[in-house]
Amino acid sequence: KEQRHMNPHNIKGDHTMKLKIICIIAITVTFHLNASDQNSDIKYLECQNNVTTNSLKRIAFCGNAFYAVAGKRTVYSVDGNTWYADTTNNYQGPDLWGLSEQNSTIVAVGLNGTVLEKLSYLSEWEVIPYVPTKAWLTDVTGIPTSSSPRFIAVGDSGTIMIATDPWLWVKPVSPTTHLLYSVTTNGSRAVAVGWKGTIVYSDFPFDVWKQVETDTTIDYFGVKYIGDEFKIVGTKGTIATFKNDSLSNLIQIGSTLWLTDICFFQNRFIVIDYGFGKIYQSSNGIDWKMTDSFGKSLCSIAQDDSNCHVVIVGDNGVILTNATESSIYIDYYRRTMATNHSEISNNNESYLNYTINGKLLRKELKNAKIARQILLRIPVRDKSEAPKKRQTTRAAQNCRLD
């Protein structure tokens, strides 16, 4: 005030300073709003599954499509919404329980030491004739840093198997006899979890395994490598971190919850519950809240980060997918709430117009034909031509909506 009184010409500068302060505040508020939008809860819709009513025990994103095991069969989807029976699977043996992909090779495992291999997305499944176990194999994971296909499989009685090739499996000594239900790796370290608090781990080349002492009253059913640590989930609503050879940050979000899997998607941790079909989300991995409850047993979760898809599967063929704008439209469309959908082209620009609850919406499409098939779920080809259809839908995966 003294400066302004001494020099009236500083009044202009004072207003300029106030304007700058207001602009800084506005920018700060905008930033926090955007951060809030990015961390908003992810909503899910239940897909119409006309492919199988079998329990879907495990799902994985295998390079260009989601694959899930359903008893003796496998099903697949490019976008998580529309599902097809994998007609390249003529397998009739014991039930399958887990699958994973590495370098375009997909491996599935199951009861009685069953191992199947699929060399490419269009090839048929082949049964591996010799596997050094007849144990129930529950899960398999690809080793992401290997130049050739390498896999780790786990199962009943503490079974651990390593493959330098899907046709060549070895069985290292396991430090446990308890059931191992889930396994994952970051390429340099692998971690497997199972019943009675069992956590075992090994470093590359995964020939020597060690066990961690934990609470034996908890059964662990899921493990994922997220960030620079392994996240583990299990009974009693348990969520824990495994890092530097020890377990830490153990929290329990509900004594009756049976958590089966975890992932990190769009800045959110997501866990799923088998007993009540509940979904919990957290922005920091510490504070959790229930965001959905479907009343159906949920078993496994997988994500496609490049196309912003996350899919959850469970018993009786249940499939849930994140509610993107296009999937919300599909949900409305299936309920006959979306009408007056039409496609128009002007010069080199294509648009899809549709109406939801009286509101006209418009999407610019980079490939109108493929994108319209994605939005309206019009089959590309007859189901008998599934391999060709997968080629088409793989191209559709690259189609983006502005």
Side-chain angles (χ1 to χ4, degrees), residues 253-392:
I253 61 175
S255 60
T256 60
L257 296 177
W258 188 328
L259 303 181
T260 53
D261 209 351
I262 184 172
C263 79
F264 187 75
F265 179 76
Q266 292 185 347
N267 301 318
R268 307 291 287 179
F269 290 95
I270 304 168
V271 296
I272 58 175
D273 163 56
Y274 183 82
F276 302 95
K278 296 179 179 179
I279 300 174
Y280 286 77
Q281 299 184 41
S282 170
S283 61
N284 56 15
I286 300 173
D287 304 308
W288 294 83
K289 69 174 181 177
M290 187 185 72
T291 55
D292 285 289
S293 181
F294 289 89
K296 300 179 180 181
S297 298
L298 305 179
C299 299
S300 182
I301 185 169
Q303 64 201 80
D304 170 17
D305 289 318
S306 62
N307 290 298
C308 298
H309 295 147
V310 61
V311 180
I312 299 169
V313 297
D315 283 355
N316 302 316
V318 63
I319 302 175
L320 310 176
T321 186
N322 59 310
T324 61
E325 183 177 352
S326 59
S327 64
I328 289 174
Y329 167 66
I330 295 161
D331 191 55
Y332 277 110
Y333 178 72
R334 284 170 175 162
R335 290 165 171 75
T336 67
M337 295 177 68
T339 58
N340 192 32
H341 48 80
S342 62
E343 181 185 332
I344 60 172
S345 296
N346 182 17
N347 297 328
N348 293 323
E349 298 179 340
S350 296
Y351 302 93
L352 183 70
N353 290 338
Y354 54 93
T355 303
I356 296 179
N357 290 342
K359 181 180 179 181
L360 179 64
L361 302 176
R362 176 172 175 168
K363 275 288 186 183
E364 182 180 351
L365 311 179
K366 292 192 175 182
N367 185 317
K369 181 179 179 181
I370 294 178
R372 187 169 186 266
Q373 289 166 346
I374 291 174
L375 287 173
L376 302 184
R377 293 302 176 271
I378 300 173
V380 180
R381 295 177 185 272
D382 184 76
K383 288 186 177 181
S384 63
E385 301 183 78
K388 292 182 180 179
K389 177 175 58 185
R390 193 177 301 134
Q391 284 182 324
T392 304

Side-chain angles (χ1 to χ4, degrees), residues 66 222 244 266:
F66 291 97
N244 298 328
Q266 292 185 347

Side-chain angles (χ1 to χ4, degrees), residues 99-208:
L99 78 169
S100 183
E101 180 264 351
Q102 172 62 18
N103 291 347
S104 298
T105 297
I106 305 175
V107 167
V109 298
L111 297 175
N112 300 337
T114 299
V115 179
L116 304 182
E117 177 201 42
K118 188 180 181 69
L119 286 175
S120 70
Y121 305 107
L122 304 180
S123 65
E124 294 185 357
W125 290 89
E126 295 186 67
V127 179
I128 305 302
Y130 174 75
V131 176
T133 186
K134 290 297 181 182
W136 164 30
L137 298 176
T138 57
D139 195 16
V140 61
T141 185
I143 303 172
T145 58
S146 64
S147 56
S148 62
R150 292 172 61 96
F151 296 87
I152 303 173
V154 298
D156 199 9
S157 302
T159 298
I160 302 171
M161 297 198 312
I162 313 297
T164 55
D165 180 274
W167 286 72
L168 182 60
W169 292 83
V170 296
K171 187 181 176 185
V173 176
S174 175
T176 182
T177 58
H178 292 148
L179 169 71
L180 295 174
Y181 198 81
S182 180
V183 62
T184 192
T185 178
N186 61 0
S188 60
R189 167 162 288 192
V191 176
V193 301
W195 283 7
K196 297 185 181 300
T198 301
I199 302 175
V200 297
Y201 67 97
S202 178
D203 294 327
F204 190 88
F206 313 116
D207 52 350
V208 178

Side-chain angles (χ1 to χ4, degrees), residues 9-178:
H9 297 290
N10 282 338
I11 295 177
K12 181 177 180 181
D14 187 51
H15 282 299
T16 304
M17 182 181 66
K18 289 181 179 179
L19 184 59
K20 288 180 179 179
I21 293 173
I22 293 171
C23 290
I24 292 172
I25 293 173
I27 292 171
T28 305
V29 171
T30 303
F31 172 79
H32 283 294
L33 286 174
N34 289 340
S36 175
D37 289 342
Q38 289 176 354
N39 292 329
S40 60
D41 295 330
I42 301 166
K43 295 298 181 181
Y44 296 87
L45 298 171
E46 184 171 355
C47 300
Q48 284 190 342
N49 178 7
N50 298 320
V51 179
T52 182
T53 57
N54 290 341
S55 292
L56 299 166
K57 296 300 183 185
R58 198 82 66 176
I59 185 174
F61 184 71
C62 298
N64 75 339
F66 291 97
Y67 278 81
V69 289
K72 305 179 190 303
R73 313 301 293 171
T74 51
V75 296
Y76 73 93
S77 171
V78 172
D79 58 9
N81 279 299
T82 303
W83 288 82
Y84 303 96
D86 186 0
T87 57
T88 64
N89 184 358
N90 297 316
Y91 169 72
Q92 294 297 326
D95 284 358
L96 302 174
W97 274 75
L99 78 169
S100 183
E101 180 264 351
Q102 172 62 18
N103 291 347
S104 298
T105 297
I106 305 175
V107 167
V109 298
L111 297 175
N112 300 337
T114 299
V115 179
L116 304 182
E117 177 201 42
K118 188 180 181 69
L119 286 175
S120 70
Y121 305 107
L122 304 180
S123 65
E124 294 185 357
W125 290 89
E126 295 186 67
V127 179
I128 305 302
Y130 174 75
V131 176
T133 186
K134 290 297 181 182
W136 164 30
L137 298 176
T138 57
D139 195 16
V140 61
T141 185
I143 303 172
T145 58
S146 64
S147 56
S148 62
R150 292 172 61 96
F151 296 87
I152 303 173
V154 298
D156 199 9
S157 302
T159 298
I160 302 171
M161 297 198 312
I162 313 297
T164 55
D165 180 274
W167 286 72
L168 182 60
W169 292 83
V170 296
K171 187 181 176 185
V173 176
S174 175
T176 182
T177 58
H178 292 148

